Amino acid sequence: MFGCMLLRWSPYTLELRQPFTTATQSRTATPAMLVEVEHEGLVGHGEAAMPPYLGESQASASAFFAAAAPLLASHRDPFLLEDVLRDSDALAPGNTAAKAAIDIALHDWVGRRLGAPWHRLWGLDPRRTPVTSFTLGIDTPEVVREKARAAGDYRLLKVKLGRDSDRELITAIRSVSSTPLIVDANQGWTDREDALRQIEWLASQDVRLVEQPFARDRLEDTAWLRERSPLPLFADESCQRLSDVPRLAGVFDGINVKLMKCTGLREARAMITVARALNLKVMLGCMTETSCAISAAAQLSPLVDWADLDGALLIRNDPFEGARIVDGKVTLTDLPGIGIVRR
Ligand code: MG
């Protein structure tokens, strides 16, 4: 139908190469939705990746898309991204991954129509992409040693902490690898004196930063820790959307921006700008995702200090090819839009 924007969606299950374990959960698959926006015969691709602990599901996303479809049909011009995405955000609270899927698909459509990738449309230098970390999930010391050995090409490893065996885990990695580490406590620490001692020890193990030491709302304790910590503290669970950023200045040293938390590229870019204005560092992160959402996020990566964009490497059934990790660095392509092709 000429002049109309069509939204299509289908469930997709991301199969993990290895069970993924953090302080709070363990799983072998991630539910996702693949989305297409079609307009004037051209298709843009998007994706919602929904780890269950974040509260979205294929059912909730389907319901959101069913509500968004008439909205997209009524907006006749995908170039009016600001209007379409503002209205999509206003349809219902939450649903940030479903909203991100629409945001990504619209950006992909616009870039494809213009014949240019978004990093070019934003004026970003693809040579300035950051090093990306590769995540080692919580496991036995033997398995973690094996994983650390296998990740030899990466220049930065990320380790999920927040259990009693944290030091054992780091020691196991250090017995086989001298690659710098970043650690993510995933809100798992409770006592601030213990947290400080832990960070002081981690600093002696060439750990470069600590993500989300305490529960998301414990900003006073985080600020106390930051004043004393030899390592920078980054907000993940404490930083979901743009409106969260201002209150994190002076509490954390940086924020972890993820498309699935913040409704997509439009808001992620604004978060990076605001963070910069507040002198906060920026990490660009991800869930387990296909190369669709990863390549979309990668378009922004020349703007950030750190990337944690290994999500597509953790799944075995990626239906797309896009931005890749080469020699530990995010590597963009010249493909238009978000830079993907179907496998
Ligand atoms: Mg995190």
Side-chain angles (χ1 to χ4, degrees), residues 20-256:
F20 193 77
T21 305
T22 70
T24 49
Q25 42 101 26
S26 181
R27 64 180 198 278
T28 56
T30 301
M33 300 293 286
L34 299 182
V35 163
E36 293 178 357
V37 169
E38 182 175 344
H39 182 68
E40 295 179 348
L42 186 65
V43 172
H45 294 277
E47 170 188 7
M50 300 172 291
Y53 64 96
L54 294 177
E56 285 181 82
S57 64
Q58 290 171 335
S60 70
S62 296
F64 185 82
F65 296 140
L71 174 74
L72 265 71
S74 72
H75 278 285
R76 292 173 165 263
D77 185 357
F79 279 94
L80 300 180
L81 275 174
E82 289 292 327
D83 291 353
V84 182
L85 295 174
R86 179 201 59 220
D87 292 350
S88 154
D89 193 16
L91 277 175
N95 291 285
T96 55
K99 290 170 183 175
I102 293 174
D103 167 285
I104 293 167
L106 280 171
H107 279 85
D108 193 37
W109 190 96
V110 168
R112 285 172 190 263
R113 171 49 52 93
L114 295 174
W118 271 93
H119 65 83
R120 279 193 70 74
L121 296 173
W122 284 322
L124 306 179
D125 184 345
R127 292 169 301 185
R128 291 176 60 92
T129 55
V131 163
T132 187
S133 57
F134 182 75
T135 300
L136 307 176
I138 290 175
D139 218 313
T140 63
E142 295 72 39
V143 174
V144 167
R145 267 197 293 273
E146 199 43 55
K147 286 182 183 174
R149 269 197 211 99
D153 290 346
Y154 293 90
R155 299 188 227 169
L156 192 62
L157 297 177
K158 179 168 173 175
V159 187
K160 300 283 196 175
L161 297 182
R163 290 188 170 184
D164 293 340
S165 55
D166 285 352
R167 288 196 186 193
E168 199 185 344
L169 194 68
I170 299 290
T171 305
I173 294 166
R174 279 288 166 259
S175 72
V176 297
S177 167
S178 57
T179 305
L181 300 174
I182 61 180
V183 301
D184 188 350
N186 281 113
Q187 316 183 77
W189 293 343
T190 49
D191 182 87
R192 57 191 204 175
E193 300 281 356
D194 286 349
L196 178 58
R197 278 191 293 276
Q198 189 74 312
I199 291 177
E200 285 167 347
W201 181 79
L202 290 167
S204 75
Q205 303 296 311
D206 200 14
V207 170
R208 302 293 174 89
L209 69 85
V210 176
E211 201 174 302
Q212 199 68 42
F214 299 129
R216 54 193 286 179
D217 297 327
R218 287 181 57 183
L219 299 187
E220 257 176 59
D221 288 330
T222 308
W224 179 93
L225 185 62
R226 177 175 175 260
E227 271 177 33
R228 294 156 179 84
S229 170
L231 296 177
L233 307 181
F234 273 59
D236 185 3
E237 287 85 347
S238 296
C239 182
Q240 307 285 324
R241 297 198 57 174
L242 178 60
S243 56
D244 295 321
V245 180
R247 70 195 173 102
L248 301 177
V251 175
F252 287 92
D253 298 285
I255 61 169
N256 186 342

